[in-house]
Amino acid sequence: MKKCLLLILALSCCGCSVPSFWLFDLNREASITDGEKGAAYAARDSAVKPDQSGLPLIEPDDRTVETGRVPSEVLWTQETPAIEENPELSRETAEDIALLETVPVFEQAEGRTVVSNEVVFDFPVVENDRVRYFIDLYSGSARVTFKRWLERSGRYLPVMREIFSQYDLPLDLAYLSMIESGFTDRAYSWAHAAGPWQFIESTGRVYGLHVDWWLDERRDPEKATHAAARFLTDMYEFFDGDWYLAVASYNAGMGKIQRAIEMYDSRDFWEISRGKYLQEETKHYLPKFLAALTIAKQPEKYGFTDLDYHEPLKYDVVEVPTATDLELAAELCGVSYEEIKRLNPELKRWSTPPSVHNHSLRLPLGSSERFLEKYLRIPVAERARYKRHEVVAGDTLLKLAKRHGIQVDDIVRLNKVSDPRALKIGSTLILPLRQGYTSRPLDELEDDYVRSYRRTYTVREGDSLWKISRKFEVSEKQLRVWNKLGWSNLLRPGQKLVVSAAGAKSARSSRQAAKRLVYEVKSGDTLWDIGQRYNVGTREIMNWNNLDHDHVLRPGDSLTLMIVPGQSG
């Protein structure tokens, strides 16, 4: 699901000879050159996550072998392990995640592929065994969850289709968001992809989506759809007008699909997906989309006769010149705080970003005049009720209270301070700047992403830790630690292993600064070995060091690596 583009440029820092590394921050598409995009696409593969089914992979039974197809009911269950691992997940959310990440296990050919002529599509739709598998799944055992996705589509599809029309893209391509996120703007994968189009932060940055502590534009349905449209257009042009390859590359990365084409000497998606090179998730990504599109365009045919589509997304937009409390905006509009948050999913906290002037705030349709009439009469200092303050050496509650003209007791109550005399340097305090404050900021110090759970794998006959580590692009040491295996190499068929790292706890915890490390190549080293040792991708190493695909490492060579502290395997 994840789009990962990373541009890392060596720059001379303050005249020093030691290069620093800069994440190329591109906020407008116009500033992106063809060369920069090419470098980004080449780097994207290294950070693309492996396929990530949240459900155990199911071995086909004798009936499957005989028929050549895996019945959908074998692979779908409403028993969602996410709830056990994270009690805060609702049943609905857990079912969404499980269906989004379901990856069936079958390597046989897809059977006869035929063009679907039953309904008018503006995207090339075909049917075969792989597509029909997901049609059966979505309209069968998983129909309750898929019905929810269809109903949610009513809220987002009109604006997504309108945006795609501006880029001359097939309007049916908007349904790709359905299999990315189930049309959920708060969706957040363990690989750190977010929003309805599931952008990784680095890719989103290339396509103009800003992310910081206050907001995440990957969650904005309009901005993210514009980014997805530009991204899909680039993929379509790169693959010379082949939409199947473009859609597959949205999932796996342009470089991965291009290498599959070269490896199998074919540009036929169905042909290159028969081999073992592509991840299972990528092999089934296009069939999932075709199945979802087929049902969505004619739901009655597949038994969805009682759909209650959500109302289309409609709103007014006003520009607020300074930081504005969302509770204040809700009061002025006469609606709930939750309604303002629902219209502005990119806002992660309780107010518009303090550093952004003239932020575009969405309000309920027809409420902008009433809002502005009252808002403009409110002094600037009172438009934001709260200030986020990071404690530094020398801070005391009394000093902070005097500096901002507030009461010590208010700071204590708002932040639930247990010992007013012992403030921890680096901790965050919320300061109430006007009367009538609530505990809302404290409630929203942690973000509200809906995270997917860690992936598991069911051990098969003949599996080893080495084979499983290669399959999921992790190290054997990581598998031992995650599964508490110690130094045992004993695996049992049917045993379940955790094969992915835990998702980030919050946006703050995932933004550690990378440090430059120079590694001297030793005899027998390969890029894959080095990557596993430091938990980075081989493609990243190649791009950091300008290496060709067929580069041969020699003992004594120096490689530059960008390592996040604590991430080495």
Side-chain angles (χ1 to χ4, degrees), residues 155 311-318 333 335 339-340 342-344 361-371:
R155 179 172 174 81
E311 288 293 321
L313 189 61
K314 295 180 181 179
Y315 45 78
D316 291 345
V317 179
V318 298
C333 291
V335 298
E339 175 65 11
I340 299 298
R342 190 170 70 93
L343 289 172
N344 298 273
L361 184 68
R362 297 189 181 105
L363 303 175
L365 191 65
S367 66
S368 57
E369 288 187 13
R370 176 173 57 177
F371 171 84

Side-chain angles (χ1 to χ4, degrees), residues 388-393 395 397 400 415 417 422-430 445 508:
R388 176 173 173 262
H389 175 79
E390 185 171 318
V391 176
V392 298
D395 274 346
L397 292 184
L400 292 174
N415 295 274
V417 176
L423 296 182
K424 183 179 179 182
I425 295 176
S427 63
T428 296
L429 291 177
I430 302 302
L445 278 177
R508 286 172 291 174

Side-chain angles (χ1 to χ4, degrees), residues 140-425:
S141 54
R143 67 179 295 106
V144 173
T145 302
F146 193 77
K147 176 177 181 286
R148 201 157 48 230
W149 295 0
L150 288 171
E151 292 176 336
R152 289 179 192 155
S153 71
R155 179 172 174 81
Y156 298 106
L157 272 180
V159 66
M160 289 180 173
R161 290 167 67 89
E162 171 60 29
I163 291 171
F164 275 24
S165 71
Q166 297 173 23
Y167 293 85
D168 293 324
L169 293 175
L171 303 189
D172 289 340
L173 200 56
Y175 283 99
L176 199 62
S177 178
M178 177 180 279
I179 65 165
E180 282 287 338
S181 65
F183 289 117
T184 302
D185 50 43
R186 293 191 297 123
Y188 188 95
S189 79
W190 61 265
H192 314 311
W197 289 98
Q198 289 291 280
F199 275 101
I200 289 291
E201 188 172 332
S202 55
T203 311
R205 186 182 302 114
V206 169
Y207 285 94
L209 300 177
H210 180 74
V211 180
D212 61 25
W213 194 83
W214 290 94
L215 84 168
D216 186 344
E217 291 184 336
R218 297 174 298 173
R219 294 168 33 154
D220 185 309
E222 288 196 30
K223 292 177 181 177
T225 301
H226 277 288
R230 292 193 291 268
F231 188 36
L232 285 164
T233 297
D234 287 346
M235 296 295 96
Y236 180 70
E237 292 175 353
F238 179 83
F239 289 108
D240 300 323
D242 190 313
W243 271 121
Y244 285 8
L245 296 177
V247 166
S249 68
Y250 190 88
N251 174 260
M254 181 187 69
K256 189 82 169 181
I257 300 302
Q258 181 60 35
R259 286 195 292 277
I261 290 172
E262 296 167 357
M263 181 178 296
Y264 298 112
D265 193 25
S266 173
R267 294 178 58 84
D268 183 338
F269 169 80
W270 306 108
E271 180 69 28
I272 66 175
S273 65
R274 290 172 193 155
K276 295 186 178 296
Y277 176 67
L278 295 179
Q279 296 285 353
E280 292 299 311
E281 180 191 359
T282 302
K283 294 178 183 181
H284 302 303
Y285 187 74
L286 177 65
K288 283 183 179 180
F289 171 58
L290 295 178
L293 179 56
T294 298
I295 297 174
K297 294 298 286 283
Q298 44 188 343
E300 297 83 2
K301 176 182 176 182
Y302 296 96
F304 294 96
T305 56
D306 57 344
L307 294 174
D308 183 14
Y309 288 104
H310 293 190
E311 288 293 321
L313 189 61
K314 295 180 181 179
Y315 45 78
D316 291 345
V317 179
V318 298
E319 288 191 349
V320 289
T322 58
T324 299
D325 187 331
L326 299 188
E327 282 189 307
L328 175 63
E331 291 172 11
L332 298 183
C333 291
V335 298
S336 68
Y337 174 86
E338 288 71 25
E339 175 65 11
I340 299 298
K341 285 284 285 187
R342 190 170 70 93
L343 289 172
N344 298 273
E346 77 281 5
L347 296 178
K348 296 158 60 177
R349 311 301 173 191
W350 60 90
S351 79
T352 61
S355 61
V356 176
H357 300 291
N358 298 320
H359 178 85
S360 294
L361 184 68
R362 297 189 181 105
L363 303 175
L365 191 65
S367 66
S368 57
E369 288 187 13
R370 176 173 57 177
F371 171 84
L372 290 173
E373 180 183 354
K374 299 177 180 179
Y375 178 81
L376 295 176
R377 295 201 297 262
I378 298 175
V380 172
E382 296 184 11
R383 292 173 181 171
R385 293 172 172 168
Y386 312 94
K387 177 180 177 65
R388 176 173 173 262
H389 175 79
E390 185 171 318
V391 176
V392 298
D395 274 346
T396 66
L397 292 184
L398 184 59
K399 285 183 180 179
L400 292 174
K402 288 182 176 180
R403 185 185 310 162
H404 296 283
I406 55 182
Q407 299 295 316
V408 170
D409 287 347
D410 288 343
I411 303 177
V412 171
R413 280 195 297 269
L414 180 59
N415 295 274
K416 300 178 182 177
V417 176
S418 57
D419 185 356
R421 294 169 297 180
L423 296 182
K424 183 179 179 182
I425 295 176

